[in-house]
Amino acid sequence: MTKTICSLLFIFLTHLPIEKNVPVAKLDLKKYAGTWYSLYSIPTIFDKGSRETTTSYSLNKEGYYNVTTTYKKQGDNRVYSRSSKMFPSDDADNGELQAQFIWPIKVDYWIIELADDYSYVVVGHPDHKFLFIMSRNQTMPKKTHDEIVTRCKAKGYDVTKLTSQLHEKA
């Protein structure tokens, strides 16, 4: 009996995320505004097959972001664009936001990690449905990338599904 309980406890603990998958506690909406390069992602159905994705967040006077996303499709050099909106939570100063691609549907968009200097951000979902590693630059140091991936894995994301956005250096 003791062996069975220990085995079950071991299995439970090895599958338990070490870190909680929660939004960051503090987000400066004005500092977050601007252009972000999506470097790696566990894509949504809308993002599958996209590359060189860039997203610009413009904070408007109503307190939400107007968002413009540009990207290329694999095997195609044409630049595509789509518009959406991003709404902060009622708390308004944490990383819990909601994206709206089609009115009235909103999707949870959690900022789960943010560099102190806002040089990179990691966006996730409460149910681990997607993950985006974004930067203010088209590249990121390998060490930073590897550390982020390790933390995302500890939060329960299947990092084997991460794909590169293949940004070409300008």
Side-chain angles (χ1 to χ4, degrees):
M1 179 72 164
T2 304
K3 240 183 185 180
T4 304
I5 292 172
C6 287
S7 295
L8 289 173
L9 187 58
F10 175 76
I11 290 168
F12 176 74
L13 292 175
T14 57
H15 288 86
L16 192 65
I18 296 168
E19 297 181 37
K20 288 185 178 180
N21 181 42
V22 295
V24 296
K26 190 76 175 147
L27 173 67
D28 182 324
L29 295 174
K30 289 180 181 174
K31 282 174 116 176
Y32 190 76
T35 301
W36 292 94
Y37 294 92
S38 180
L39 303 180
Y40 299 91
S41 67
I42 298 174
T44 68
I45 58 170
F46 300 109
D47 305 308
K48 280 195 180 191
S50 64
R51 63 184 173 88
E52 298 181 52
T53 302
T54 303
T55 306
S56 296
Y57 298 83
S58 176
L59 190 60
N60 63 35
K61 62 184 175 185
E62 285 84 25
Y64 66 86
Y65 293 106
N66 293 314
V67 182
T68 303
T69 303
T70 60
Y71 59 97
K72 294 179 182 176
K73 295 180 181 179
Q74 290 179 355
D76 184 354
N77 276 331
R78 183 176 155 211
V79 176
Y80 295 84
S81 179
R82 68 175 171 255
S83 297
S84 60
K85 296 177 181 177
M86 187 75 59
F87 297 90
S89 69
D90 292 337
D91 192 6
D93 68 343
N94 68 18
E96 189 174 339
L97 296 105
Q98 289 191 315
Q100 185 177 66
F101 299 98
I102 302 168
W103 183 87
I105 300 166
K106 293 181 182 173
V107 177
D108 288 323
Y109 177 102
W110 283 7
I111 296 172
I112 61 171
E113 187 172 329
L114 181 62
D116 291 338
D117 64 356
Y118 285 65
S119 61
Y120 74 82
V121 64
V122 181
V123 175
H125 185 272
D127 297 327
H128 305 92
K129 291 181 179 178
F130 57 79
L131 184 71
F132 296 94
I133 300 172
M134 302 189 298
S135 173
R136 295 292 189 180
N137 299 303
Q138 292 179 333
T139 61
M140 171 182 283
K142 182 175 178 3
K143 182 178 185 236
T144 304
H145 167 267
D146 292 347
E147 290 169 350
I148 291 170
V149 170
T150 298
R151 289 189 295 270
C152 289
K153 183 176 181 179
K155 291 176 184 179
Y157 289 91
D158 183 356
V159 296
T160 63
K161 294 181 179 179
L162 278 172
T163 60
S164 171
Q165 282 285 307
L166 306 171
H167 281 276
E168 296 176 12
K169 293 182 182 177

